[in-house]
């Protein structure tokens, strides 16, 4: 659940935040009904999402086999649209009221719609492709784990949409020029990220060739894109929010008209609530992109090998040690000094699953137990416990063993022959 939530938030935050930021800038101060420009921006987001879904379908049906044929032209279009937005926002900075009118307004709305459509088109495919990973191998079609993954996926979309709405309502109460300046910085960073992605693809396809300094700069930017985006989000979020909060701290001064005084005080209370709610949303975003991401990417450690008995050139493991039904790891030192790890588990029905702590696909990365499942450490695939001891897939490499006198016995010669797997 957490993994799906974190992935959706990480992939969908930027387009939603761009959508909210442009709504803040281009919506007039006084709105009557549902403005046409707002409908066009919503239509652009839906159009970008629809096009992204089409690309996902083409990729999953292997009709689209070369992603660069889509990525290169769309990234070029992204950079052009972003540059147009930079020019528009630069011209808008000096204006003291929300919205854009006249010829500049038409150019601003067109640039915003194009940028929104492309942002959603670029972000949605990788998020939607998670739908294919809701059911792990060996799981039932409908299970509590699958339901939790679905809830995490849906919850991520709801959280991102709510976050964008909170930002919009709070930013509209911030100083106009300050908000425009911070959002101009956001668009500049947004453009830089798209430009770096384009350069990276052109470099990988040998269309261009970078020198050492440019390549290292590109690699650093790519590896730190998440942190750069988070810092940029902090700037566009916290600076206008702090200014908006300073505006509404304390009580509104008394007016000659008591009704006007009550109205001003009510508006200040509403502003404080929106700003505080927005700050809480940003705090949640920071926690999601730091603590939650670290938790999801946490690399599990293998448990220490357990002791065993030896007899007649064989490893002997008492059945009582395995009676709990959990995964048990053991280590045999071969004659050449290689540490040969193997695992044993009591399966349903009283049978034992015995195999090396390695598989043919992932090598000696090992297995660990979590929530009653045996999981490959390298590929994160949950193994069907009933199939441990059989070849195939990511199952542990089976080894010969015998069960007698209430113990599982593995000959030393079998483990010696398996040393090459761990060499």
């Amino acid at each position: 659940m957490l993994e799906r939530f974190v992935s959706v938030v990480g992939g969908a935050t930027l387009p939603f935040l761009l959508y909210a930021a442009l709504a803040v800038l281009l919506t007039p101060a006084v709105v009557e009904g549902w403005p046409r420009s707002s409908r066009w921006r919503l239509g652009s987001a839906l159009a970008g999402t629809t096009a992204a879904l089409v690309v996902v379908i083409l990729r999953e049906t292997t009709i689209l086999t070369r992603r660069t044929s889509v990525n290169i032209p769309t990234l070029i279009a992204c950079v052009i649209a972003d540059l147009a937005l930079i020019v528009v926002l630069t011209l808008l900075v000096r204006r003291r009221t929300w919205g854009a009118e006249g010829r500049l307004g038409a150019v601003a709305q067109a640039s915003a719609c194009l940028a929104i459509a492309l942002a959603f088109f670029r972000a949605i495919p990788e998020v939607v492709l998670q739908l294919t990973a809701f059911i792990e191998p060996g799981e039932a079609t409908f299970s509590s784990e699958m339901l939790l993954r679905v809830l995490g996926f849906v919850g991520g979309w709801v959280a991102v949409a709510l976050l964008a709405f909170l930002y919009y309502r709070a930013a509209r109460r911030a100083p106009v020029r300050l908000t425009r300046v911070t959002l101009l910085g956001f668009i500049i960073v947004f453009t830089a990220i798209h430009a770096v992605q384009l350069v990276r693809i052109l470099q990988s396809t040998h269309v261009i060739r970078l020198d050492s300094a440019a390549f290292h700069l590109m690699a650093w930017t790519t590896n730190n894109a998440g942190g750069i985006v988070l810092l940029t989000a902090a700037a566009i979020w916290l600076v206008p929010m702090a200014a908006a909060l300073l505006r509404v701290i304390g009580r509104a001064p008394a007016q000659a008209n008591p009704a006007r005084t009550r109205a001003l005080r009510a508006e200040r209370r509403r502003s404080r609530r929106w700003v505080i709610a927005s700050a809480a949303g940003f705090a949640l975003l920071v926690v999601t992109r730091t603590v939650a991401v670290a938790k999801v990417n946490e690399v599990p450690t293998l448990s220490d090998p357990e002791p065993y008995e030896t007899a007649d050139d064989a490893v002997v493991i008492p059945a009582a040690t395995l009676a709990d039904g959990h995964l048990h790891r053991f280590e045999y030192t071969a004659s050449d000094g290689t540490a040969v790890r193997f695992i044993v588990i009591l399966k349903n029905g009283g049978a034992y699953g015995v195999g090396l702590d390695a598989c043919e696909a992932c090598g000696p990365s090992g297995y660990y137990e979590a929530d009653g499942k045996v999981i490959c450490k390298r590929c994160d695939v949950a193994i069907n416990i009933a199939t441990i001891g059989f070849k195939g897939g990511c199952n542990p490499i089976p080894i010969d063993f015998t069960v007698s006198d209430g113990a599982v016995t593995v000959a030393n010669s079998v483990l010696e022959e398996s040393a090459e797997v761990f060499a």
Side-chain angles (χ1 to χ4, degrees), residues 57-403:
I57 294 172
L58 294 178
R59 284 175 55 180
E60 288 300 293
T61 55
T62 66
I63 296 176
L64 179 63
T65 56
R66 294 186 60 190
R67 295 172 59 184
T68 54
S69 61
V70 175
N71 289 338
I72 292 178
T74 54
L75 278 172
I76 292 174
C78 282
V79 173
I80 294 173
D82 294 342
L83 290 174
L85 270 181
I86 291 174
V87 173
V88 169
L89 292 181
T90 302
L91 296 175
L92 281 175
V93 164
R94 293 186 177 184
R95 300 199 176 188
R96 297 185 178 182
T97 58
W98 296 115
E101 303 82 18
R103 294 181 180 178
L104 179 60
V107 174
Q109 299 294 351
S111 301
C113 289
L114 180 59
I116 289 171
L118 290 170
F120 276 85
F121 177 80
R122 291 285 308 163
I124 297 302
E126 297 304 324
V127 178
V128 173
L129 283 172
Q130 295 180 52
L131 291 168
T132 61
F134 279 170
I135 303 175
E136 297 287 354
E139 284 186 351
T141 303
F142 297 99
S143 63
S144 57
E145 289 81 4
M146 185 273 288
L147 178 60
L148 288 175
R149 295 188 191 105
V150 172
L151 289 176
F153 184 82
V154 175
W157 285 105
V158 173
V160 171
L162 181 60
L163 202 62
F165 178 71
L166 289 174
Y167 171 76
Y168 171 78
R169 294 305 298 265
R172 292 284 289 182
R173 291 162 165 79
V176 177
R177 288 185 178 177
L178 179 61
T179 304
R180 283 180 175 150
V181 169
T182 56
L183 291 179
L184 177 60
F186 169 65
I187 299 298
I188 291 174
V189 173
F190 204 57
T191 306
I193 291 174
H194 283 155
V196 169
Q197 291 174 347
L198 177 60
V199 170
R200 179 166 57 85
I201 293 177
L202 295 177
Q203 163 79 9
S204 63
T205 54
H206 306 291
V207 176
I208 62 173
R209 182 173 297 178
L210 301 177
D211 58 26
S212 178
F215 181 83
H216 284 92
L217 177 61
M218 179 195 70
W220 181 89
T221 305
T222 301
N223 294 333
N224 295 277
I228 294 172
V229 170
L230 191 60
L231 289 175
T232 305
I236 71 165
W237 210 297
L238 298 182
V239 175
M241 294 306 103
L245 188 60
L246 290 175
R247 278 184 167 186
V248 295
I249 290 178
R251 295 172 62 86
Q255 304 291 317
N257 186 340
R260 178 60 178 165
T261 300
R262 290 192 297 270
L264 285 175
R265 289 175 178 175
E267 176 60 25
R268 290 167 76 92
R269 285 195 299 270
R270 285 193 295 270
S271 296
R272 282 196 297 269
R273 290 166 185 165
W274 281 116
V275 171
I276 292 173
S278 180
F282 176 74
L284 177 62
L285 174 64
V286 172
V287 171
T288 302
R289 299 303 300 153
T290 54
V291 178
V293 168
K295 180 65 177 178
V296 169
N297 295 332
E298 186 177 36
V299 178
T301 57
L302 301 180
S303 60
D304 294 331
E306 301 178 30
Y308 54 80
E309 301 174 3
T310 58
D312 299 327
D313 293 329
V315 171
V316 180
I317 305 168
T321 303
L322 310 172
D324 57 8
H326 290 294
L327 181 71
H328 294 267
R329 190 184 331 275
F330 304 93
E331 184 176 287
Y332 170 83
T333 303
S335 57
D336 62 357
T338 302
V340 180
R341 303 191 315 273
F342 63 101
I343 56 176
V344 185
I345 189 170
L346 177 63
K347 302 187 287 188
N348 292 334
Y352 291 98
V354 182
L356 298 179
D357 196 21
C359 77
E360 295 179 353
C362 300
S365 56
Y367 300 85
Y368 66 95
E369 184 178 358
D371 300 325
K373 299 177 183 178
V374 175
I375 302 173
C376 175
K377 181 181 177 181
R378 180 174 180 179
C379 65
D380 203 34
V381 168
I383 309 302
N384 186 350
I385 294 179
T387 65
I388 295 179
F390 299 93
K391 290 184 177 181
C394 200
N395 281 351
I397 300 173
I399 56 176
D400 295 331
F401 69 98
T402 59
V403 180

